């Protein structure tokens, strides 16, 4: 079955967590909005039927249309060997993904602490304050949690010795933080060596390595969730 992924065509954003799972699994998919007329097709899908998705990303799988990143990954994980078979373990991996989703919101709010309707330039003082707290409290809390989980699992992954989609998403978190906050991240990485080892292990996986080197991987940019502003990364 060929999947249809619907997400904004110029940013990684929340769609990238789905792309990484599809790529690692070697799944057949189309990144619809990146094709001719794709934006219009995506917007039309959001107005169709009695149960339309609220926002991208969403995935069309046969007759199913699945919205929300964690929900999409819950579906794909069970079908492509990226989640455990036992229900309790599947729910655990889903829980990890939801925790990552919480962290993504906090990353976004470093540069838009007063909300997405204002430009970054209109909220610089608040962004600087928010970013300071982000690095003093929130990053240690979240990445420290994942560091402990890898150690407790017996490693090298979050859920023991077998890769799950949450590992791919944690890889993306590290990559994004390296882009948005290179100086802060360089100082912090020594505190989470297991997380960094996991990142390196993911990057070396054949399908992921090929994806990262391809034009399918949209570069980080200042329109995405992970944005680099020098004032926020002294």
């Amino acid at each position: 079955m060929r999947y249809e992924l619907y997400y904004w065509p110029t940013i990684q954003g929340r769609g990238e967590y789905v792309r990484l799972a599809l790529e690692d699994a070697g799944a057949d998919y189309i990144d619809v909005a990146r094709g001719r007329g794709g934006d219009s097709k995506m917007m039309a899908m959001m107005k169709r039927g009695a149960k339309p998705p609220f926002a991208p990303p969403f995935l069309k799988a046969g007759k199913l249309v699945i919205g929300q990143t964690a929900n999409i990954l819950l579906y794909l994980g069970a079908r492509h060997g990226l989640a455990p078979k036992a229900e309790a373990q599947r729910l655990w991996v889903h829980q990890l993904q939801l925790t990552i989703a919480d962290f993504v919101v906090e990353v976004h709010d470093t540069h838009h602490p007063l909300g997405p309707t204002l430009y970054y330039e209109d909220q610089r003082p608040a962004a600087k304050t928010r970013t300071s707290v982000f690095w003093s409290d929130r990053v240690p809390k979240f990445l420290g949690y994942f560091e402990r989980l890898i150690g407790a699992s017996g490693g090298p992954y979050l859920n023991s010795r077998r890769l799950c989609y949450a590992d791919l998403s944690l890889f993306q978190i590290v990559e994004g933080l390296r882009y948005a906050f290179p100086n802060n991240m360089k100082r912090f990485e020594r505190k989470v060596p297991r997380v960094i080892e996991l990142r390196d292990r993911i990057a070396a996986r054949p399908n992921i390595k090929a994806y990262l080197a391809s034009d399918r991987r949209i570069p980080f940019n200042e329109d995405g969730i992970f944005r680099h502003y020098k004032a926020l990364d002294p």
Side-chain angles (χ1 to χ4, degrees), residues 57-116:
F58 53 91
L59 185 79
K60 189 172 186 296
K63 294 182 179 180
L64 285 176
V65 177
I66 308 158
Q68 294 288 352
T69 303
N71 202 32
I72 297 168
L73 291 172
L74 180 65
Y75 173 83
L76 290 174
R79 286 155 180 78
H80 293 281
L82 292 173
K85 293 181 179 180
E87 182 181 40
Q89 290 300 307
R90 284 202 312 274
L91 290 173
W92 167 240
V93 171
H94 184 54
Q95 179 178 317
L96 294 176
Q97 189 65 41
L98 291 169
T99 303
I100 288 171
D102 289 342
F103 190 35
V104 170
V105 172
E106 300 219 17
V107 173
H108 172 271
D109 287 352
T110 59
H111 51 78
H112 277 73
L114 302 183

Side-chain angles (χ1 to χ4, degrees), residues 3-215:
Y3 297 110
E4 295 179 8
L5 173 64
Y6 292 81
Y7 195 66
W8 308 112
T10 59
I11 61 173
Q12 292 183 18
R14 290 172 175 82
E16 194 65 15
Y17 302 94
V18 180
R19 292 187 187 110
L20 286 168
L22 290 167
E23 291 284 347
D24 187 79
D28 186 11
Y29 78 101
I30 305 171
D31 210 335
V32 176
R34 297 182 72 181
R36 176 175 287 187
D39 271 348
S40 297
K41 293 176 183 177
M42 183 170 70
M43 300 310 291
M45 285 284 288
M46 292 168 61
K47 298 176 182 178
R48 187 179 301 164
K51 298 177 181 178
F54 176 73
F58 53 91
L59 185 79
K60 189 172 186 296
K63 294 182 179 180
L64 285 176
V65 177
I66 308 158
Q68 294 288 352
T69 303
N71 202 32
I72 297 168
L73 291 172
L74 180 65
Y75 173 83
L76 290 174
R79 286 155 180 78
H80 293 281
L82 292 173
K85 293 181 179 180
E87 182 181 40
Q89 290 300 307
R90 284 202 312 274
L91 290 173
W92 167 240
V93 171
H94 184 54
Q95 179 178 317
L96 294 176
Q97 189 65 41
L98 291 169
T99 303
I100 288 171
D102 289 342
F103 190 35
V104 170
V105 172
E106 300 219 17
V107 173
H108 172 271
D109 287 352
T110 59
H111 51 78
H112 277 73
L114 302 183
T117 58
L118 297 174
Y119 291 108
Y120 163 71
E121 289 74 15
D122 298 323
Q123 46 190 316
R124 284 184 180 182
K128 192 169 184 179
T129 300
R130 185 63 171 262
T131 299
S132 177
V133 174
F134 177 74
W135 280 101
S136 67
D137 181 60
R138 308 310 287 165
V139 173
K141 187 177 183 70
F142 278 93
L143 291 190
Y145 172 70
F146 293 124
E147 177 76 8
R148 293 193 303 274
L149 288 183
I150 296 168
S153 76
Y157 299 113
L158 288 166
N159 193 44
S160 191
R161 297 179 182 177
R162 187 168 182 178
L163 178 92
C164 67
Y165 58 79
D167 296 305
L168 299 170
S169 294
L170 186 55
F171 162 86
Q172 176 67 5
I173 290 289
V174 173
E175 292 296 279
L177 290 176
R178 283 180 169 180
Y179 172 80
F181 302 101
N183 295 323
N184 276 289
M185 191 59 178
K186 185 176 181 180
R187 291 190 289 265
F188 186 80
E189 286 189 14
R190 62 183 175 80
K191 298 180 181 180
V192 287
R194 294 185 183 92
V195 169
I196 301 306
E197 288 171 5
L198 183 148
R199 177 265 164 211
D200 294 343
R201 189 170 284 105
I202 298 296
R205 290 176 66 82
N207 286 354
I208 295 296
K209 185 176 182 179
Y211 170 61
L212 297 176
S214 75
D215 59 5

